[in-house]
Amino acid sequence: MTIHKIAVMEGDGIGPEIIQEGIKVLDKVSELHNFEIKWTKYPNGADHYLKTKELISEDTLNEIKSTSDSIYLGALGDPRIKPGILEKGILLKTRFFFDQYVNLRPIKLLEGADCPLKNKGPKDIDFTVIRENTEDFYVGIGNRANTGTTKQELEVIRSLYSIKFGLDIETQGSEIAYQIGVLSQKGSERVIRYAFELAKKRGDTRVTAVDKANVLNHIYGFWREIVEKVSTEYPDIDHEFNFVDAITMWFVKSPEHYQTVVTPNMFGDIITDLGAMIQGGLGLAPGGNINPNGISMFEPIHGSAPKYKGLNVANPLATIWAGAMMLDELGEKKSSSLIVNSIEHLVKQKKILTKDMGGASKTSDIGTELVKIVDELNNK
Ligand code: IPM
Ligand code: MN
């Protein structure tokens, strides 16, 4: 029997509660489809950090690397800790450590889910965003430069950005801050190729590439060139370019146009929150951080919602769906689609739903109900 070894990081806030429901449903499916999941919990998150000052250590990451097939993550973020510490120290650290260069975010409106767009339904909202996940403005290169900065450093900053300050920074004490976005040929090419391959596998006819090449021409002009180059390997798939500002408009106006969307990191962060809304809200938006040849990590795209911690009211559907994506990546395709179909069934039947979706059920009721639905649909 196949055994999948999963490292679990429940994280903060509602993390443990929603992960528990994911485990419930995945365990049930594994029973039905004859494989086994071995879960190993890791305590990394706010409490662990406050107790030990450790975010996530190289030792832990290496241990996961040598013992796990995949990572299942709840959510990170805690009001006791300054924003950015846990996100950068655990989430981004793990994405980068495992070189999870694809951030896969299905934007799919399930039958029965509430869509805020007038006259749009499940047929109109069904596309995939592939977000580059290791480069761009996420590389962490930047600083604040004040009057102590050397002339030479200022020259570098000036030329890097072509900024004309119009005043003498050295003598007028005007501080500057800078952060550099970096794209590499390799880093862009691999994620763009992943997008075209996925489009091909799904029979999509078009890939839309996002950028802001009209202004940030150095990096996104480069991105466009790489899209052009990779696209020549896929003569049966059309490609087009959308500016990031325009695509936010088109996602709302004509979501039915989109099939496969590939985007640099930061724009992908922004447009997938919008994507989450048009698919019925953050409660229904899963994501995968994928290294196609390594260890991937699956998570809901929402945060840790600290104010609902421990109340058993949070919506676990995004997390359960992320679990389904994890099974897909592990090769358990049948189990993966059984879970997604079951979620859709649950949403459509509108009986057992959490408060955010207009219901009155508890977090734990959702997993329990899904276990029943999974069983029913499996026997059909
Ligand atoms: C996301 C989140 C993260 C990101 C944060 C928490 C670092 O917003 O997964 O979309 O910016 O990638
Ligand atoms: Mn985000």
Side-chain angles (χ1 to χ4, degrees), residues 16 94 171 212 310 312 324 372:
T94 307
T171 57
K212 185 74 188 175
N312 200 16
K372 281 191 217 148

Side-chain angles (χ1 to χ4, degrees), residues 58-104:
E58 295 278 323
D59 282 351
T60 300
L61 290 165
N62 278 313
E63 182 185 309
I64 292 174
K65 189 174 184 175
S66 58
T67 58
S68 311
D69 301 314
S70 199
I71 304 168
Y72 197 28
L73 173 69
L76 293 165
D78 186 291
R80 293 168 296 174
I81 298 168
K82 232 174 68 196
I85 305 274
L86 300 167
E87 293 88 334
K88 283 205 272 195
I90 301 177
L91 181 64
L92 296 184
K93 173 95 188 180
T94 307
R95 286 178 183 171
F96 293 171
F97 180 88
F98 291 106
D99 200 19
Q100 294 160 346
Y101 64 84
V102 173
N103 192 316
L104 189 68

Side-chain angles (χ1 to χ4, degrees), residues 145-159 165 168-171 176:
N146 55 30
T147 44
T149 309
T150 65
K151 269 204 155 90
Q152 206 180 6
E153 282 174 309
L154 284 171
E155 275 321 309
V156 172
I157 295 163
R158 281 198 183 98
S159 65
F165 290 110
D168 182 353
I169 314 171
E170 288 86 345
T171 57
I176 61 166

Side-chain angles (χ1 to χ4, degrees), residues 81 91 100 154 213 218 243 258 305 340 368 378:
I81 298 168
L91 181 64
Q100 294 160 346
L154 284 171
H218 293 293
F243 292 133
Y258 294 99
V340 179
T368 305
N378 186 55

Side-chain angles (χ1 to χ4, degrees), residues 87 91-92 95 103 105 131 138 265 269 273 299 301:
E87 293 88 334
L91 181 64
L92 296 184
R95 286 178 183 171
N103 192 316
R105 297 189 167 179
R131 165 186 172 194
Y138 279 65
N265 204 343
D269 179 42
D273 268 26
E299 54 171 335
I301 87 168

